[in-house]
Structure formats: structure tokens, C-alpha cells
């Protein structure tokens, strides 16, 4: 995408390149710079924002920071997002502070992300390999801890809002494990004739439930008991009722 087609990073989701401009919710503030030995230099850069609401991240916004390396993106709907800086990865290594994935909710309406960029060299590459090794070891330990956790289940029931509240069969649901602002797809199932999808053998932790619907026909589903649920030794099994209605 050329600069002529991109909006300034100071423009919000009210513009044409936003796919979620109907509701003003949260704000993301970006500060990008290049860190040198004794100074910090503002860095004008392209970036993209993805919404993490399904199996595949959805690109919802692209833009450019201003000459001071800053951008403000408003009208973010509640949910999970990923920020990606578009740079030449062979020359520049971005570091997101505190991280590049975040959640907009009632308690997090304004998110600040600093992007510290460094020129790549032999030392940086060595540090990358070192950090990757540490991350692999950490992930391995985390997996072992998960194996020792008590397994539970999530029962999701999808219904159509009407006088009889009919169950919706054939509706696809996906559940994602949420850890440290990151989400990972665990499983996807389709509801049975009673509108129920049963997810079993789930480790303790926090899970995001996502219903796949035709947005042109249905309103945004209402998740009774919440769209994000937690499983632990005291609450091994959780039920969530999802209400759907026509537009």
C-alpha cells in the first residue's frame, strides 16, 4: 500500500479504512522511535492493527505515525487486538513495550504502546537467538504446568431470541485460551440439535468464546455469564448461554 492510500496514524476508526466505526470504545496510542547509543530519535513508520476475534486475525486498520513517531487510533470496540509495525525486518528490529497484543474492555479503555526500534547487527542477532531459546524453555515449562492442571469443560448453548427461545443447531463456536494478553485457538465445534457445543479436557485457565455468525443477518450475540470464562480447581465446568437475534 502506498502512502497515498494510507491514512495518518492520527486519524481514528471513523475513517473509511476502518471496519468497526460504529461504536466508539477504546483508544490506542502509539509512540515509535529508534534507540541509539545516547539518544532516542522519533521514527515515522507504517503499522497495522488486527482484531483477534476468530481463528484468523482480521486486519481492521492500517496507517502511518506522524513525523514525531506518534499515532492515536480511537473508536476501538471491546475485544482483543494485535499491533504490527511494518518495517524491513532485515535492518530493523522492533520491540513492543509492554507488548503488541492488548485487550480493550471497561478497565482498559486507553492503551499505550511504545515501539523501540534498533538496527540489527551481529550482537542483536545473538541476543535474538538467546531470547528465543529462553522463550522455548519457558513455553516448555508452561506446557508441563498445564499438563498437571485439573481438566474441565465448557458447555455452550446457542439460542434464537423469540417467544419460544428455540435452540440454534449447526452454529460454529471456537474457544481460545487467554494467557498474558495472548490468545491461542484450542478447539472449534458445531452445536447439536439442542443448540449445545461441549468442549472437554480443558486445562485450568481463562478462555474466550467466539460464535461464528452471519453478521449481515444476526445482531452481535449476547453471552450470558460472559464471553470470557475461567476454569480452576473450584470451577471445573462452566456453562454459557448465547442469545442470537435478527437485525
Amino acid at each position: 500500500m502506498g502512502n497515498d492510500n494510507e491514512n495518518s496514524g492520527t486519524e481514528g476508526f471513523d475513517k473509511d479504512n476502518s471496519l468497526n466505526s460504529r461504536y466508539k470504545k477504546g483508544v490506542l496510542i502509539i509512540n515509535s522511535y529508534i534507540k541509539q547509543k545516547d539518544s532516542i530519535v522519533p521514527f515515522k513508520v507504517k503499522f497495522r492493527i488486527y482484531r483477534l476475534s476468530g481463528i484468523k486475525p482480521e486486519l481492521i486498520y492500517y496507517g502511518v505515525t506522524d513525523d514525531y513517531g506518534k499515532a492515536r487510533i480511537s473508536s476501538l470496540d471491546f475485544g482483543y487486538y494485535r499491533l504490527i509495525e511494518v518495517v524491513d525486518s532485515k535492518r530493523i528490529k522492533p520491540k513492543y513495550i509492554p507488548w503488541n497484543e492488548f485487550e480493550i474492555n471497561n478497565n482498559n479503555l486507553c492503551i499505550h504502546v511504545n515501539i523501540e526500534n534498533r538496527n540489527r547487527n551481529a550482537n542483536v542477532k545473538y541476543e535474538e537467538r538467546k531470547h528465543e531459546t529462553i522463550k522455548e524453555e519457558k513455553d516448555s515449562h508452561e506446557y508441563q504446568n498445564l499438563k498437571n492442571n485439573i481438566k474441565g469443560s465448557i458447555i455452550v448453548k446457542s439460542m434464537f431470541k423469540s417467544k419460544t427461545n428455540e435452540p440454534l443447531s449447526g452454529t460454529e463456536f471456537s474457544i481460545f485460551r487467554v494467557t498474558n494478553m495472548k490468545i491461542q485457538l484450542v478447539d472449534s465445534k458445531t452445536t447439536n440439535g439442542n443448540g449445545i457445543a461441549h468442549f472437554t479436557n480443558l486445562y485450568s485457565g481463562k478462555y474466550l468464546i467466539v460464535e461464528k455468525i452471519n453478521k449481515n443477518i444476526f445482531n452481535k450475540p449476547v453471552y450470558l455469564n460472559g464471553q470470557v470464562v475461567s476454569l480452576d480447581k473450584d470451577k471445573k465446568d462452566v456453562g454459557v448461554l448465547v442469545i442470537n437475534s435478527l437485525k
Side-chain angles (χ1 to χ4, degrees), residues 23 28 32 38 46 52 74 114 152 167 206 228 238 241 245:
Y23 305 103
L28 170 65
S32 179
D38 301 319
K46 300 176 184 178
L52 306 177
S74 59
N114 291 325
K206 186 178 293 185
V228 178
V238 174
L241 180 62
S245 60

Side-chain angles (χ1 to χ4, degrees), residues 173-212:
F173 281 91
S174 297
I175 60 170
F176 300 81
R177 182 174 173 83
V178 182
T179 56
N180 296 327
M181 303 305 295
K182 295 183 179 180
I183 66 172
Q184 180 180 9
L185 176 65
V186 175
D187 197 3
S188 296
K189 290 182 180 292
T190 302
T191 56
N192 59 21
N194 295 319
I196 293 176
H198 192 187
F199 298 89
T200 58
N201 295 323
L202 301 175
Y203 296 112
S204 300
K206 186 178 293 185
Y207 292 88
L208 170 69
I209 303 168
V210 177
E211 182 184 33
K212 185 177 180 180

